[in-house]
Amino acid sequence: MPFQALKPQVEKILQDTSKEVDARLTAVCQLLRSEIPYYDWVGFYFQNGDKEELKLGPFAGEPTDHTIIPFGKGICGQVAVSNKNFVVPDVKAQTNYIACNIDVKAEIVIPLFKNGVNIGQIDIDSQTADPFSREDESFLEFVNQKVAEIL
Ligand code: SME
């Protein structure tokens, strides 16, 4: 499904106040994973209290051992510090990378800002080589903005 068609579905899920916030975030992860063929693992990480580390939040896909990631470590930990989108077309070319699954070829991590503060991120793993474009970045920025509104 094209990104434009997914946007209203994401908004609908997030606005469903009959469900807990985590259930809504899980539903968003499931939607993205099922509708975008090259999104094989979709999850949110959030800062763990006031610690300089990320904690895994709602996700869709295989469970990962990496439920806590220190700031600066891996792609996720680098985004926690840089506040910038990180698109990785080939994970093998990265030295500061935490492998969750040997089949993963590419990754995109987009920071999530609440009131201008980087509080977490959405992380996508892909088993397709070099699948992400500027369109993915824009779409995931949209998703994160909408998530921030309900946090
Ligand atoms: N690959 C990430 C770790 C998280 S898993 O992809 C779910 C990283 O390097 O930060």
Side-chain angles (χ1 to χ4, degrees):
M1 187 183 295
F3 292 134
Q4 283 311 322
L6 280 171
K7 285 182 177 182
Q9 295 200 35
V10 168
E11 289 183 286
K12 190 170 170 226
I13 290 168
L14 292 174
Q15 285 159 11
D16 179 5
T17 51
S18 72
K19 298 202 175 71
E20 299 288 337
V21 166
D22 274 7
R24 287 181 251 166
L25 296 193
T26 300
V28 167
C29 292
Q30 288 167 340
L31 175 74
L32 271 49
R33 182 171 182 255
S34 64
E35 294 296 335
I36 305 171
Y38 53 93
Y39 284 18
D40 293 296
W41 189 95
V42 179
F44 290 95
Y45 282 93
F46 291 101
Q47 183 169 10
N48 191 12
D50 56 7
K51 295 185 188 160
E52 298 220 322
E53 63 184 30
L54 296 161
K55 186 176 180 198
L56 181 62
F59 68 95
E62 290 293 305
T64 173
D65 290 340
H66 303 289
T67 55
I68 297 285
I69 298 177
F71 281 13
K73 300 285 182 198
I75 308 303
C76 297
Q78 291 177 77
V79 169
V81 177
S82 72
N83 306 323
K84 297 220 163 62
N85 296 351
F86 200 155
V87 182
V88 181
D90 174 11
V91 296
K92 289 201 175 64
Q94 296 293 318
T95 47
N96 189 358
Y97 170 70
I98 302 166
C100 284
N101 176 329
I102 52 161
D103 297 321
V104 172
K105 292 195 170 69
E107 179 163 3
I108 184 170
V109 179
I110 307 293
L112 194 157
F113 299 98
K114 173 84 182 171
N115 301 325
V117 177
N118 180 354
I119 60 162
Q121 51 195 234
I122 191 166
D123 176 20
I124 320 287
D125 282 346
S126 181
Q127 296 178 12
T128 301
D130 194 6
F132 302 115
S133 70
R134 181 59 212 156
E135 309 307 312
D136 294 270
E137 289 187 67
S138 304
F139 173 65
L140 296 168
E141 286 167 4
F142 169 87
V143 171
N144 280 356
Q145 276 165 19
K146 294 295 161 188
V147 168
E149 288 172 14
I150 65 158
L151 295 179

